[in-house]
Amino acid sequence: MPVAKRFQPFGVTIFTEITNLAQQHDAINLGQGFPNWDGPDFIKQAAARSLEGGRDQYPASPGIRELREAIARRYGPLLGRDLDPDTEITVTTGCTEALAATFLGLIDPGDEVVLIEPFYDAYPVDAALAGAVTRAVTLRPPDFRLDPEMLAAAVTDQTKAILVNTPHNPTGRVFDADELATIARLCRQHDVIAICDEVYEWMTYDTELPRLARLPGMGERTITLSSLGKTYSLTGWKVGWAIAPPGLTGGIRAAHQFLTFTTPTPVQYGAVAALEAPAHYYTELRSSYQERRDLLVDGLERVGLRPFRPDGTYFVMADHTAFGFEDDRSFCRHLIEKCGVAAIPPSVFYSDPVDGASLVRFSFSRDAATLQEAVERLSRL
Ligand SMILES: Cc1ncc(COP(=O)(O)O)c(C=O)c1O
């Protein structure tokens, strides 16, 4: 049976492709972003208590009340308004499902959606599933700043939404107050909704994350998405959430009830404990990632790559052109086969692959010893 036409253009994700190649060559995998250590015990214990406590049946479709309340308590101050757990918060199966539910529940066929590229690979797929037309605005090295004129040119009367991922995968940019003000102005002018994917919200280095939802007129038109995976080193748990005013939440829930209906109960109870983590949890998370960032970025510089030091996420983009390879794919193949290190060729994150051909993306979501060993291996370059 052939794959349905709607998925044929997208093939197998680059993460699967690189992970398979990495395994074949016993390479250190700095490709896909997930930590090589376990999540915190206090969260796992909360989930385990739920497993032992006879909570085996379907929870409410938008998520267990305890978790929606915990999300409201945590995000109310961050987003600058009181949040109603009944009408403004939906628990989803990872941010991946929150994104799909947002597109399918709120975007009509023919609507335009502005994507900032390089983009996370699920965005164009979700847009295609919803029948949306995408318009891309490209971030370019060395600073990967959002060009206000390009963004203004991409927003038309058909635009329904702008997708803003900050901190941004794969560039590590944290969009600053000026860039967010430009986005907000265009959203207000053209009556556009903002879909904010903030899964790396607690991985910012020497800077705080400015939130689009806080800007004037934006609370009523912003959907803030996040999840447990990155912040709590629990990428396998797949618990996410969508925070949006009641009108937008209605659309998200309309899709969510038929995509997954709900998310497994034990991990939702674990998520309640996660959201109640003390402030020092976040300080330590940041400082440990900042150390890893510096270890990898300094190492990449030493071996002759040109990394762009990120302000956020656990990714770093680097320019590989000093080594004379034809493009990012041939460079990454060489890295895996000859150096034993896997990284992601970022051309797959652009609508025109040429825009990413000079770049390579590494993840520093690995312990220091693994990063050191990877840098050692890269010196074979
Ligand atoms: C920007 C971005 N959004 C969403 C996701 C998916 O999040 P989750 O694992 O919670 O579905 C990822 C995972 O890598 C990501 O990088």
Side-chain angles (χ1 to χ4, degrees):
M1 276 290 284
V3 171
K5 288 194 185 63
R6 69 175 70 83
F7 283 108
Q8 282 176 10
F10 304 109
V12 175
T13 81
I14 191 68
F15 306 108
T16 308
E17 192 182 320
I18 293 292
T19 299
N20 289 345
L21 257 184
Q23 278 165 1
Q24 273 168 35
H25 293 273
D26 204 16
I28 295 179
N29 193 349
L30 304 188
Q32 199 168 2
F34 58 87
N36 64 343
W37 56 86
D38 276 347
D41 277 345
F42 71 94
I43 306 178
K44 294 203 281 197
Q45 280 157 10
R49 278 194 299 278
S50 160
L51 271 176
E52 285 157 7
R55 287 163 166 158
D56 290 334
Q57 309 312 330
Y58 291 130
S61 173
I64 59 168
R65 166 153 282 281
E66 293 90 326
L67 179 53
R68 281 180 286 127
E69 283 173 355
I71 294 169
R73 275 195 303 277
R74 178 98 184 105
Y75 282 86
L78 298 170
L79 303 184
R81 66 190 177 89
D82 285 341
L83 297 169
D84 181 345
D86 287 327
T87 58
E88 297 190 291
I89 291 166
T90 311
V91 176
T92 57
T93 299
C95 183
T96 305
E97 196 227 336
L99 282 160
T102 300
F103 272 88
L104 294 174
L106 291 167
I107 310 291
D108 278 314
D111 285 346
E112 290 185 7
V113 176
V114 175
L115 300 181
I116 296 167
E117 64 178 14
F119 37 59
Y120 180 56
D121 66 346
Y123 303 160
V125 183
D126 288 331
L129 293 179
V133 176
T134 54
R135 286 173 167 263
V137 177
T138 313
L139 306 176
R140 296 189 187 280
D143 53 9
F144 296 106
R145 280 192 72 78
L146 194 56
D147 179 333
E149 281 167 26
M150 273 187 70
L151 184 64
V155 179
T156 74
D157 288 343
Q158 271 66 54
T159 306
K160 186 74 172 278
I162 302 181
L163 205 159
V164 186
N165 168 217
T166 181
H168 182 258
N169 171 12
T171 66
R173 275 301 315 287
V174 176
F175 294 117
D176 67 21
D178 286 345
E179 290 165 300
L180 293 190
T182 304
I183 298 170
R185 182 173 45 76
L186 289 166
C187 286
R188 287 188 305 260
Q189 261 173 19
H190 295 268
D191 194 20
V192 164
I193 56 176
I195 306 170
C196 288
D197 175 345
E198 297 180 353
V199 293
Y200 298 99
E201 60 195 322
W202 297 107
M203 288 164 200
T204 57
Y205 314 116
D206 302 321
T207 178
E208 289 299 317
L209 175 69
R211 308 253 184 184
L212 191 60
R214 293 186 76 98
L215 298 191
M218 291 308 289
E220 66 217 53
R221 59 175 74 253
T222 301
I223 300 160
T224 300
L225 308 178
S226 193
S227 67
L228 275 197
K230 317 290 175 180
T231 307
Y232 303 98
S233 305
L234 293 165
T235 57
W237 281 32
K238 299 298 286 186
V239 182
W241 44 88
I243 304 171
L248 297 175
T249 292
I252 295 166
R253 288 185 181 177
H256 164 72
Q257 64 184 334
F258 295 115
L259 281 172
T260 56
F261 185 71
T262 191
T263 296
T265 318
V267 287
Q268 290 201 50
Y269 279 99
V272 175
L275 283 153
E276 285 165 356
H280 68 80
Y281 174 82
Y282 300 93
T283 323
E284 282 156 22
L285 180 86
R286 274 176 164 163
S287 60
S288 67
Y289 270 114
Q290 185 154 352
E291 276 169 28
R292 290 187 194 108
R293 175 196 69 169
D294 293 340
L295 201 166
L296 183 62
V297 172
D298 296 347
L300 296 179
E301 266 165 6
R302 276 201 308 280
V303 303
L305 283 156
R306 197 155 67 87
F308 305 101
R309 196 174 294 262
D311 294 328
T313 74
Y314 46 47
F315 300 112
V316 50
M317 291 271 255
D319 182 309
H320 63 76
T321 49
F323 294 98
F325 285 84
E326 189 189 333
D327 58 19
D328 56 333
R329 280 188 173 266
S330 52
F331 179 72
C332 286
R333 209 168 311 121
H334 178 88
L335 273 196
I336 296 174
E337 291 169 1
K338 299 289 188 278
C339 302
V341 176
I344 297 290
S347 54
V348 293
F349 305 141
Y350 291 85
S351 39
D352 181 355
V354 169
D355 287 322
S358 61
L359 301 167
V360 51
R361 188 197 82 172
F362 296 91
S363 171
F364 46 92
S365 58
R366 296 289 182 270
D367 60 82
T370 307
L371 293 174
Q372 255 148 5
E373 167 69 18
V375 170
E376 187 75 16
R377 290 184 181 196
L378 285 173
S379 60
R380 292 179 206 160
L381 266 171

